[in-house]
Amino acid sequence: MFISPPNNFNESQIWNTDSSSSEPPMTPITKFGVNDDARQPPVTPATNQNFKIAPSSPIVNNKLYNQGWLTTQIGKYIKIEFLIGSNMYLDREGTLLEVGISYIVIKESGTNDIVMCDIYSIKFVRVFDDQLSKCRE
């Protein structure tokens, strides 16, 4: 317990010698130094992780997401319809080459151009059956 006289800002606080208080005097907080044993060393990440398959996004691997389902269609001929704005549809056709988290890549059939498309504007995907195998039957 410290008593500070009113309007006495320049002097240090005075110890209260009144023993009617049952609280023990406050002890100062100890400061931890740099070489203190109480501090924990930093945790180093484990570097010996043996992955059989490199970690990737669960969205691309999970077939419940559009990206995951589209990865199962890589190499097939597809027609994709995109919604541009609020009422304009645009379609692209070609062979699906690659699927990312936010994009797909198709190779257009007429020009052999490679086109990257925004996956979030896709509304419909049509996957064509293998016509070459139908002709052989």
PDB file of all heavy atoms in Angstrom, residues 1-3 14-21:
ATOM      1  N   MET A   1       0.832  -1.172   0.000  1.00  0.00           N
ATOM      2  CA  MET A   1       0.000   0.000   0.000  1.00  0.00           C
ATOM      3  C   MET A   1       0.876   1.234   0.000  1.00  0.00           C
ATOM      4  O   MET A   1       1.737   1.384   0.853  1.00  0.00           O
ATOM      5  CB  MET A   1      -0.885   0.018   1.236  1.00  0.00           C
ATOM      6  CG  MET A   1      -1.811  -1.149   1.342  1.00  0.00           C
ATOM      7  SD  MET A   1      -3.303  -0.781   0.507  1.00  0.00           S
ATOM      8  CE  MET A   1      -4.273  -0.201   1.825  1.00  0.00           C
ATOM      9  N   PHE A   2       0.624   2.068  -0.944  1.00  0.00           N
ATOM     10  CA  PHE A   2       1.338   3.333  -1.055  1.00  0.00           C
ATOM     11  C   PHE A   2       0.350   4.473  -0.847  1.00  0.00           C
ATOM     12  O   PHE A   2      -0.782   4.400  -1.268  1.00  0.00           O
ATOM     13  CB  PHE A   2       1.981   3.473  -2.436  1.00  0.00           C
ATOM     14  CG  PHE A   2       3.096   2.499  -2.654  1.00  0.00           C
ATOM     15  CD1 PHE A   2       2.876   1.297  -3.281  1.00  0.00           C
ATOM     16  CD2 PHE A   2       4.368   2.783  -2.213  1.00  0.00           C
ATOM     17  CE1 PHE A   2       3.890   0.402  -3.484  1.00  0.00           C
ATOM     18  CE2 PHE A   2       5.393   1.895  -2.427  1.00  0.00           C
ATOM     19  CZ  PHE A   2       5.159   0.694  -3.058  1.00  0.00           C
ATOM     20  N   ILE A   3       0.844   5.491  -0.234  1.00  0.00           N
ATOM     21  CA  ILE A   3       0.039   6.688  -0.054  1.00  0.00           C
ATOM     22  C   ILE A   3       0.746   7.813  -0.774  1.00  0.00           C
ATOM     23  O   ILE A   3       1.946   8.023  -0.578  1.00  0.00           O
ATOM     24  CB  ILE A   3      -0.137   7.059   1.431  1.00  0.00           C
ATOM     25  CG1 ILE A   3      -0.875   5.945   2.141  1.00  0.00           C
ATOM     26  CG2 ILE A   3      -0.857   8.377   1.572  1.00  0.00           C
ATOM     27  CD1 ILE A   3      -0.981   6.184   3.623  1.00  0.00           C
ATOM     28  N   ILE A  14       5.025   7.345  -0.768  1.00  0.00           N
ATOM     29  CA  ILE A  14       5.403   7.062   0.611  1.00  0.00           C
ATOM     30  C   ILE A  14       4.743   5.752   1.038  1.00  0.00           C
ATOM     31  O   ILE A  14       3.600   5.486   0.720  1.00  0.00           O
ATOM     32  CB  ILE A  14       4.940   8.209   1.543  1.00  0.00           C
ATOM     33  CG1 ILE A  14       5.541   9.540   1.056  1.00  0.00           C
ATOM     34  CG2 ILE A  14       5.310   7.932   2.980  1.00  0.00           C
ATOM     35  CD1 ILE A  14       4.963  10.740   1.761  1.00  0.00           C
ATOM     36  N   TRP A  15       5.504   4.934   1.756  1.00  0.00           N
ATOM     37  CA  TRP A  15       4.991   3.651   2.250  1.00  0.00           C
ATOM     38  C   TRP A  15       4.002   3.902   3.370  1.00  0.00           C
ATOM     39  O   TRP A  15       4.247   4.675   4.285  1.00  0.00           O
ATOM     40  CB  TRP A  15       6.144   2.773   2.724  1.00  0.00           C
ATOM     41  CG  TRP A  15       5.704   1.457   3.266  1.00  0.00           C
ATOM     42  CD1 TRP A  15       5.624   1.109   4.562  1.00  0.00           C
ATOM     43  CD2 TRP A  15       5.271   0.345   2.512  1.00  0.00           C
ATOM     44  NE1 TRP A  15       5.166  -0.156   4.689  1.00  0.00           N
ATOM     45  CE2 TRP A  15       4.931  -0.661   3.431  1.00  0.00           C
ATOM     46  CE3 TRP A  15       5.121   0.081   1.159  1.00  0.00           C
ATOM     47  CZ2 TRP A  15       4.452  -1.899   3.035  1.00  0.00           C
ATOM     48  CZ3 TRP A  15       4.654  -1.159   0.781  1.00  0.00           C
ATOM     49  CH2 TRP A  15       4.326  -2.123   1.722  1.00  0.00           C
ATOM     50  N   ASN A  16       2.857   3.231   3.319  1.00  0.00           N
ATOM     51  CA  ASN A  16       1.832   3.363   4.353  1.00  0.00           C
ATOM     52  C   ASN A  16       2.226   2.498   5.541  1.00  0.00           C
ATOM     53  O   ASN A  16       2.332   1.283   5.432  1.00  0.00           O
ATOM     54  CB  ASN A  16       0.475   2.940   3.811  1.00  0.00           C
ATOM     55  CG  ASN A  16      -0.636   3.163   4.805  1.00  0.00           C
ATOM     56  OD1 ASN A  16      -0.419   3.723   5.876  1.00  0.00           O
ATOM     57  ND2 ASN A  16      -1.822   2.738   4.443  1.00  0.00           N
ATOM     58  N   THR A  17       2.439   3.123   6.656  1.00  0.00           N
ATOM     59  CA  THR A  17       2.835   2.382   7.852  1.00  0.00           C
ATOM     60  C   THR A  17       1.635   1.933   8.658  1.00  0.00           C
ATOM     61  O   THR A  17       1.803   1.320   9.708  1.00  0.00           O
ATOM     62  CB  THR A  17       3.738   3.249   8.728  1.00  0.00           C
ATOM     63  OG1 THR A  17       3.048   4.458   9.044  1.00  0.00           O
ATOM     64  CG2 THR A  17       5.038   3.551   8.009  1.00  0.00           C
ATOM     65  N   ASP A  18       0.440   2.234   8.202  1.00  0.00           N
ATOM     66  CA  ASP A  18      -0.765   1.815   8.911  1.00  0.00           C
ATOM     67  C   ASP A  18      -0.923   0.305   8.750  1.00  0.00           C
ATOM     68  O   ASP A  18      -0.992  -0.217   7.652  1.00  0.00           O
ATOM     69  CB  ASP A  18      -1.978   2.546   8.336  1.00  0.00           C
ATOM     70  CG  ASP A  18      -3.249   2.179   9.068  1.00  0.00           C
ATOM     71  OD1 ASP A  18      -3.155   1.673  10.206  1.00  0.00           O
ATOM     72  OD2 ASP A  18      -4.334   2.413   8.495  1.00  0.00           O
ATOM     73  N   SER A  19      -0.960  -0.443   9.817  1.00  0.00           N
ATOM     74  CA  SER A  19      -1.038  -1.895   9.770  1.00  0.00           C
ATOM     75  C   SER A  19      -2.477  -2.402   9.804  1.00  0.00           C
ATOM     76  O   SER A  19      -2.695  -3.587   9.997  1.00  0.00           O
ATOM     77  CB  SER A  19      -0.242  -2.504  10.924  1.00  0.00           C
ATOM     78  OG  SER A  19      -0.813  -2.076  12.144  1.00  0.00           O
ATOM     79  N   SER A  20      -3.461  -1.506   9.656  1.00  0.00           N
ATOM     80  CA  SER A  20      -4.852  -1.963   9.691  1.00  0.00           C
ATOM     81  C   SER A  20      -5.231  -2.704   8.415  1.00  0.00           C
ATOM     82  O   SER A  20      -6.210  -3.436   8.379  1.00  0.00           O
ATOM     83  CB  SER A  20      -5.786  -0.776   9.925  1.00  0.00           C
ATOM     84  OG  SER A  20      -5.686   0.111   8.828  1.00  0.00           O
ATOM     85  N   SER A  21      -4.471  -2.533   7.385  1.00  0.00           N
ATOM     86  CA  SER A  21      -4.759  -3.205   6.125  1.00  0.00           C
ATOM     87  C   SER A  21      -4.245  -4.642   6.205  1.00  0.00           C
ATOM     88  O   SER A  21      -3.165  -4.914   6.690  1.00  0.00           O
ATOM     89  CB  SER A  21      -4.076  -2.462   4.982  1.00  0.00           C
ATOM     90  OG  SER A  21      -4.187  -3.201   3.806  1.00  0.00           O
TER      91      SER A  21
END
